[in-house]
Amino acid sequence: MSKGIIVAGFGAIGKTTLGNKYNNIIDMESGYYQWDNTGFEDIPYEQRKGKKERSKNNDWPSNYHKAVLEARKKYDIVLTSMHWHLLDFFEENNIEYYLAYPTLDSEKVLEERCYERGNNKVFTDKLKINLYNWNEIIKNYHPKKLLIIKKDEYLEDVLKKNGILC
């Protein structure tokens, strides 16, 4: 396996679980970079998502771009969010990446996963809307490979099937 493979993935597909399971994989949770989490440290991270009270980090998104590039030097697989500015950054700088996206019939499964991990309704409803809206937008991008995740699969399953994870 090559070092520094980037996989940009949709929410609730198993990025965090995968990052926690393997020492050579890191989940680059974007919220740690996008938001000022001061005052929210006692709230479990998944429950912070969708909270309107947080303010944006002034260094966003350049701080996230930099952190992802640094992580490539240390980990075999770097899991990132699917923020459009990040995909644009990859493409503008000829950085190879994979894009992991669930099938449209995954809405109910993704919703259940969100609630199981503690996400609120605001976050979960936005994720469900994005499932359909982003399905068209991803056609404008050119990942090394589009990894389609079926509703009964997780990212780990698809990475193994594609020989990215052994």
Side-chain angles (χ1 to χ4, degrees), residues 55-122:
S55 58
K56 284 261 188 183
N57 181 328
N58 292 332
D59 295 329
W60 173 261
S62 61
N63 62 341
Y64 190 53
H65 299 165
K66 182 179 178 183
V68 168
L69 296 179
E70 285 299 312
R72 287 178 72 199
K73 298 173 186 175
K74 300 175 188 172
Y75 294 91
D76 294 333
I77 299 176
V78 178
L79 306 173
T80 74
S81 68
M82 275 185 49
H83 288 285
W84 303 124
H85 68 81
L86 183 62
L87 300 183
D88 291 341
F89 175 77
F90 292 156
E91 298 219 353
E92 290 165 5
N93 291 283
N94 296 314
I95 298 169
E96 190 174 87
Y97 68 98
Y98 291 82
L99 188 56
Y101 202 79
T103 54
L104 294 180
D105 64 347
S106 300
E107 177 184 343
K108 190 70 178 157
V109 171
L110 296 174
E111 179 181 37
E112 290 170 5
R113 290 177 188 173
C114 284
Y115 286 132
E116 285 173 12
R117 67 186 193 183
N119 296 131
N120 64 27
K121 184 170 176 28
V122 171

Side-chain angles (χ1 to χ4, degrees), residues 1 5-6 15 27 29-30 36 75 81 95 99 106 146:
M1 174 186 314
I5 295 170
I6 296 174
K15 296 185 302 290
D27 175 26
E29 176 56 63
S30 62
D36 177 359
Y75 294 91
S81 68
I95 298 169
L99 188 56
S106 300
L146 179 59

